[in-house]
Amino acid sequence: MLKLLEHADSVRKEVGRHISQEHKSDLGQFMTPATVARFMASLFSSSTLSTGRVLDAGAGVGSLSGAFLDRVVRGGFAFRRVEVTAFEIDARLRNHLSRTLANYHGEFTLDASVVAGDFIEEAVQMILNGGPCFTHAILNPPYKKINSASRHRSLLRQVGIETVNLYSAFVALAVRLMQPGGQIVAIIPRSFCNGPYYRPFRELILARTAIKHIHLFDARDRAFKDDDVLQENIIILLERDARQGIVTVTTSTDDRFFDIRSHDYPFGRIVFQDDPEHFIHIPTSPEQNQIECSPLISCSLADTGLEVSTGPVVDFRLRAHLRKMPEKGTVPLLYPCHFSGYVVDWPKSGAKKPNAILRNPETERWLYPNGCYVVVKRFSSKEEKRRIVASVVYPDAFDSPVLGLENHLNVFHRGRQGLPEDLARGLSVFLNSTQIDEQFRRFSGHTQVNATDLRLLKYPSREVLTRLGLWAKAQGLLTQDGIDKKIESLACGKKTI
């Protein structure tokens, strides 16, 4: 029977070679390798039900349904009958899907239905009609944004689902279609774990399901390597209407699963009780991060009297006012490319981005007074050692009363005014520590750093940050090792800086 799944995998590879990357992106369609499908099917709890009703939405060539049925054959469930409902909107895949499912007839009583309709339309209608209720769902949903004015968005709102991407819509619909105790295993991007756009989705799964298991890949490009997908994905097991308890977190280097490490965590390590955003943290070791358990790093950003916002200059909206290099009537415009390590490189000759913006009545409201600011790049490259990369803008670097700070920067300020220099310097050192980066990576699986993420971090007090800045100033050249040792001593309760 394992040969059937391997055959489906060879079909997946062959079909995938003849589908353009553009078509895959249009449908958000990236088919599941056999190794991943088999691991996903293994996560379901054993069942004593006599009939299994299985949902596979976005089924592709049937790898996930096949992996589930393989497990049925091997005795993983007590089913006497299995009903599979597989949705696939792409006509070129449905024939392969039908053949994959047909291969399992004769092994047990199987009723397999391939549905050509749009899953969102069909699922919403099922929910409005009060059924059906599935016992299991195994999903690799499409990854594509949903336009706020689209028919899909309108349909989802009819059943109380508010979300911004097809993958979260598919999982939310599956949750609604599960019977109590029903289980969902899905491979989805990690991006839902944080950020304001996915908050309604997080609230839905936390209210209606228990998180039982999360699997992480150490290498973010390995789960769908045949399709060159770089989005970091996780595999998650949810159980409808179950009591939330311990969460198992496993990790493996890649999709071969040869080196799985497993740890169990109390739910309080996954979703912090006092977090209004309900961010989902995924710890990778049973020991708490130094930042999490330090009594000296327990202030909110508001406690320090500071704010963080995205840079106000949205360049495409002010394109007519941008200038390649400074000239009369302009002021400095700072992009992420102007920050390299702890140095501000401005103006940058040969840069693709402008270096200046005209100061006039149309741009004035978007400019900040020249002052001392801490900026954090909103996007880091996948190869960058740290996700959070902070720099200090010093006022004496610019002969200008105001500055332009572009939208791809997060800016720490005080009521749109600059910070005291020592405070800014200390904040930058703290944010550039490996300890903060480790904490951030536990709930953020993408390279974007949102202002919301930065607001929800815990900080030392304003006084401690200022002393940290004085220490940094006395060091001269700072190294990563020096920063980390200083933050370690702070986290361990050593007040003297």
Side-chain angles (χ1 to χ4, degrees), residues 127-155:
I127 293 167
L128 293 175
N129 291 338
C133 285
F134 294 98
T135 61
H136 298 79
I138 187 164
L139 307 174
N140 173 11
Y143 176 78
K144 189 177 181 182
K145 289 182 179 179
I146 305 174
N147 188 287
S148 59
S150 68
R151 172 168 169 73
H152 279 159
R153 200 70 171 263
S154 176
L155 285 167

Tab-separated table of all heavy atoms in Angstrom, residues 127-155:
chain	number	residue	atom	x	y	z
A	127	ILE	N	-22.227	24.975	5.880
A	127	ILE	CA	-22.377	25.507	7.241
A	127	ILE	C	-23.757	26.122	7.421
A	127	ILE	O	-24.432	25.894	8.434
A	127	ILE	CB	-21.265	26.544	7.531
A	127	ILE	CG1	-19.895	25.847	7.586
A	127	ILE	CG2	-21.530	27.271	8.849
A	127	ILE	CD1	-18.720	26.801	7.549
A	128	LEU	N	-24.203	26.886	6.430
A	128	LEU	CA	-25.521	27.524	6.517
A	128	LEU	C	-26.643	26.493	6.543
A	128	LEU	O	-27.690	26.713	7.157
A	128	LEU	CB	-25.713	28.487	5.340
A	128	LEU	CG	-24.799	29.724	5.334
A	128	LEU	CD1	-25.007	30.528	4.058
A	128	LEU	CD2	-25.056	30.594	6.564
A	129	ASN	N	-26.398	25.335	5.902
A	129	ASN	CA	-27.406	24.263	5.876
A	129	ASN	C	-27.296	23.316	7.063
A	129	ASN	O	-28.068	22.356	7.181
A	129	ASN	CB	-27.285	23.460	4.573
A	129	ASN	CG	-27.702	24.277	3.365
A	129	ASN	OD1	-28.441	25.256	3.482
A	129	ASN	ND2	-27.227	23.886	2.184
A	130	GLY	N	-26.293	23.542	7.923
A	130	GLY	CA	-26.174	22.738	9.141
A	130	GLY	C	-25.396	21.456	9.003
A	130	GLY	O	-25.503	20.561	9.846
A	131	GLY	N	-24.607	21.311	7.986
A	131	GLY	CA	-23.832	20.075	7.861
A	131	GLY	C	-23.068	20.065	6.554
A	131	GLY	O	-23.127	21.032	5.799
A	132	PRO	N	-22.311	18.968	6.235
A	132	PRO	CA	-22.107	17.810	7.085
A	132	PRO	C	-21.049	18.075	8.152
A	132	PRO	O	-20.413	19.114	8.141
A	132	PRO	CB	-21.602	16.752	6.095
A	132	PRO	CG	-20.833	17.557	5.089
A	132	PRO	CD	-21.578	18.854	4.957
A	133	CYS	N	-20.902	17.119	9.036
A	133	CYS	CA	-19.856	17.209	10.053
A	133	CYS	C	-18.799	16.147	9.762
A	133	CYS	O	-19.117	14.959	9.680
A	133	CYS	CB	-20.437	16.996	11.451
A	133	CYS	SG	-21.366	18.420	12.062
A	134	PHE	N	-17.565	16.579	9.620
A	134	PHE	CA	-16.464	15.656	9.352
A	134	PHE	C	-15.803	15.240	10.662
A	134	PHE	O	-15.840	15.955	11.666
A	134	PHE	CB	-15.429	16.330	8.445
A	134	PHE	CG	-15.928	16.630	7.061
A	134	PHE	CD1	-16.397	17.893	6.733
A	134	PHE	CD2	-15.927	15.646	6.084
A	134	PHE	CE1	-16.855	18.182	5.464
A	134	PHE	CE2	-16.390	15.920	4.804
A	134	PHE	CZ	-16.857	17.195	4.491
A	135	THR	N	-15.166	14.085	10.619
A	135	THR	CA	-14.405	13.611	11.784
A	135	THR	C	-12.933	13.969	11.676
A	135	THR	O	-12.239	14.071	12.690
A	135	THR	CB	-14.524	12.086	11.930
A	135	THR	OG1	-13.979	11.451	10.752
A	135	THR	CG2	-15.986	11.664	12.098
A	136	HIS	N	-12.450	14.150	10.444
A	136	HIS	CA	-11.044	14.439	10.207
A	136	HIS	C	-10.913	15.380	9.012
A	136	HIS	O	-11.709	15.317	8.082
A	136	HIS	CB	-10.244	13.154	9.902
A	136	HIS	CG	-10.239	12.155	11.015
A	136	HIS	ND1	-11.312	11.318	11.259
A	136	HIS	CD2	-9.296	11.858	11.955
A	136	HIS	CE1	-11.028	10.552	12.313
A	136	HIS	NE2	-9.815	10.856	12.744
A	137	ALA	N	-9.920	16.225	9.060
A	137	ALA	CA	-9.547	17.041	7.903
A	137	ALA	C	-8.039	17.020	7.782
A	137	ALA	O	-7.319	17.143	8.782
A	137	ALA	CB	-10.048	18.473	8.052
A	138	ILE	N	-7.546	16.842	6.578
A	138	ILE	CA	-6.103	16.864	6.315
A	138	ILE	C	-5.895	17.833	5.160
A	138	ILE	O	-6.418	17.638	4.066
A	138	ILE	CB	-5.559	15.441	6.041
A	138	ILE	CG1	-4.029	15.469	5.932
A	138	ILE	CG2	-6.240	14.766	4.869
A	138	ILE	CD1	-3.385	14.078	6.040
A	139	LEU	N	-5.159	18.917	5.416
A	139	LEU	CA	-5.188	20.067	4.517
A	139	LEU	C	-3.799	20.595	4.175
A	139	LEU	O	-2.947	20.749	5.052
A	139	LEU	CB	-5.964	21.228	5.165
A	139	LEU	CG	-7.379	20.977	5.686
A	139	LEU	CD1	-7.885	22.221	6.401
A	139	LEU	CD2	-8.305	20.605	4.545
A	140	ASN	N	-3.620	20.890	2.914
A	140	ASN	CA	-2.558	21.775	2.441
A	140	ASN	C	-3.268	22.865	1.643
A	140	ASN	O	-3.364	22.791	0.417
A	140	ASN	CB	-1.549	21.031	1.579
A	140	ASN	CG	-0.524	21.955	0.935
A	140	ASN	OD1	-0.433	23.135	1.272
A	140	ASN	ND2	0.237	21.426	-0.012
A	141	PRO	N	-3.804	23.868	2.334
A	141	PRO	CA	-4.652	24.844	1.655
A	141	PRO	C	-3.844	25.792	0.781
A	141	PRO	O	-2.632	25.968	0.975
A	141	PRO	CB	-5.309	25.607	2.813
A	141	PRO	CG	-4.355	25.469	3.945
A	141	PRO	CD	-3.692	24.135	3.776
A	142	PRO	N	-4.499	26.428	-0.185
A	142	PRO	CA	-3.793	27.396	-1.035
A	142	PRO	C	-3.361	28.612	-0.239
A	142	PRO	O	-3.994	28.987	0.753
A	142	PRO	CB	-4.841	27.773	-2.092
A	142	PRO	CG	-6.153	27.480	-1.445
A	142	PRO	CD	-5.921	26.307	-0.545
A	143	TYR	N	-2.281	29.228	-0.689
A	143	TYR	CA	-1.746	30.424	-0.036
A	143	TYR	C	-1.909	31.586	-0.997
A	143	TYR	O	-1.196	31.694	-1.989
A	143	TYR	CB	-0.277	30.216	0.327
A	143	TYR	CG	0.377	31.442	0.927
A	143	TYR	CD1	0.149	31.791	2.252
A	143	TYR	CD2	1.209	32.265	0.170
A	143	TYR	CE1	0.732	32.911	2.816
A	143	TYR	CE2	1.797	33.391	0.720
A	143	TYR	CZ	1.554	33.705	2.040
A	143	TYR	OH	2.130	34.830	2.585
A	144	LYS	N	-2.876	32.457	-0.725
A	144	LYS	CA	-3.119	33.622	-1.580
A	144	LYS	C	-3.980	34.606	-0.817
A	144	LYS	O	-4.925	34.219	-0.122
A	144	LYS	CB	-3.819	33.208	-2.876
A	144	LYS	CG	-3.910	34.329	-3.894
A	144	LYS	CD	-4.550	33.827	-5.182
A	144	LYS	CE	-4.610	34.940	-6.210
A	144	LYS	NZ	-5.269	34.488	-7.460
A	145	LYS	N	-3.661	35.890	-0.940
A	145	LYS	CA	-4.429	36.914	-0.239
A	145	LYS	C	-5.853	36.997	-0.778
A	145	LYS	O	-6.105	36.743	-1.954
A	145	LYS	CB	-3.739	38.277	-0.368
A	145	LYS	CG	-2.455	38.385	0.431
A	145	LYS	CD	-1.843	39.775	0.308
A	145	LYS	CE	-0.571	39.868	1.146
A	145	LYS	NZ	0.065	41.204	1.029
A	146	ILE	N	-6.782	37.361	0.114
A	146	ILE	CA	-8.180	37.563	-0.260
A	146	ILE	C	-8.461	39.060	-0.263
A	146	ILE	O	-8.277	39.729	0.761
A	146	ILE	CB	-9.142	36.863	0.725
A	146	ILE	CG1	-8.817	35.379	0.845
A	146	ILE	CG2	-10.583	37.056	0.288
A	146	ILE	CD1	-9.634	34.661	1.901
A	147	ASN	N	-8.894	39.569	-1.375
A	147	ASN	CA	-9.236	40.984	-1.470
A	147	ASN	C	-10.410	41.309	-0.559
A	147	ASN	O	-11.369	40.545	-0.458
A	147	ASN	CB	-9.561	41.336	-2.925
A	147	ASN	CG	-9.736	42.823	-3.134
A	147	ASN	OD1	-10.736	43.408	-2.722
A	147	ASN	ND2	-8.766	43.442	-3.775
A	148	SER	N	-10.331	42.454	0.111
A	148	SER	CA	-11.371	42.816	1.091
A	148	SER	C	-12.738	42.990	0.453
A	148	SER	O	-13.756	42.848	1.128
A	148	SER	CB	-10.973	44.105	1.820
A	148	SER	OG	-10.806	45.162	0.897
A	149	ALA	N	-12.778	43.292	-0.848
A	149	ALA	CA	-14.069	43.502	-1.526
A	149	ALA	C	-14.473	42.291	-2.367
A	149	ALA	O	-15.411	42.362	-3.152
A	149	ALA	CB	-13.992	44.750	-2.403
A	150	SER	N	-13.782	41.153	-2.204
A	150	SER	CA	-14.033	39.998	-3.061
A	150	SER	C	-15.265	39.211	-2.614
A	150	SER	O	-15.753	39.352	-1.492
A	150	SER	CB	-12.817	39.068	-3.050
A	150	SER	OG	-12.669	38.479	-1.759
A	151	ARG	N	-15.746	38.363	-3.513
A	151	ARG	CA	-16.876	37.485	-3.185
A	151	ARG	C	-16.493	36.519	-2.063
A	151	ARG	O	-17.299	36.233	-1.178
A	151	ARG	CB	-17.313	36.712	-4.435
A	151	ARG	CG	-18.363	35.638	-4.166
A	151	ARG	CD	-18.969	35.097	-5.437
A	151	ARG	NE	-19.768	33.904	-5.190
A	151	ARG	CZ	-20.953	33.896	-4.615
A	151	ARG	NH1	-21.489	35.038	-4.208
A	151	ARG	NH2	-21.616	32.772	-4.432
A	152	HIS	N	-15.262	36.031	-2.076
A	152	HIS	CA	-14.817	35.119	-1.010
A	152	HIS	C	-14.928	35.780	0.358
A	152	HIS	O	-15.399	35.168	1.317
A	152	HIS	CB	-13.376	34.677	-1.256
A	152	HIS	CG	-13.259	33.560	-2.242
A	152	HIS	ND1	-12.094	33.274	-2.925
A	152	HIS	CD2	-14.165	32.644	-2.672
A	152	HIS	CE1	-12.286	32.239	-3.711
A	152	HIS	NE2	-13.531	31.841	-3.592
A	153	ARG	N	-14.503	37.040	0.441
A	153	ARG	CA	-14.556	37.743	1.728
A	153	ARG	C	-16.002	37.890	2.193
A	153	ARG	O	-16.320	37.722	3.372
A	153	ARG	CB	-13.886	39.110	1.575
A	153	ARG	CG	-13.434	39.780	2.869
A	153	ARG	CD	-12.243	39.054	3.489
A	153	ARG	NE	-11.702	39.826	4.597
A	153	ARG	CZ	-10.668	40.651	4.510
A	153	ARG	NH1	-10.034	40.794	3.347
A	153	ARG	NH2	-10.237	41.315	5.560
A	154	SER	N	-16.886	38.202	1.247
A	154	SER	CA	-18.308	38.351	1.575
A	154	SER	C	-18.912	37.027	2.036
A	154	SER	O	-19.667	36.980	3.013
A	154	SER	CB	-19.052	38.880	0.352
A	154	SER	OG	-20.437	38.957	0.597
A	155	LEU	N	-18.570	35.941	1.361
A	155	LEU	CA	-19.088	34.623	1.739
A	155	LEU	C	-18.623	34.235	3.137
A	155	LEU	O	-19.408	33.745	3.960
A	155	LEU	CB	-18.621	33.571	0.727
A	155	LEU	CG	-19.317	33.554	-0.629
A	155	LEU	CD1	-18.550	32.693	-1.609
A	155	LEU	CD2	-20.759	33.040	-0.493
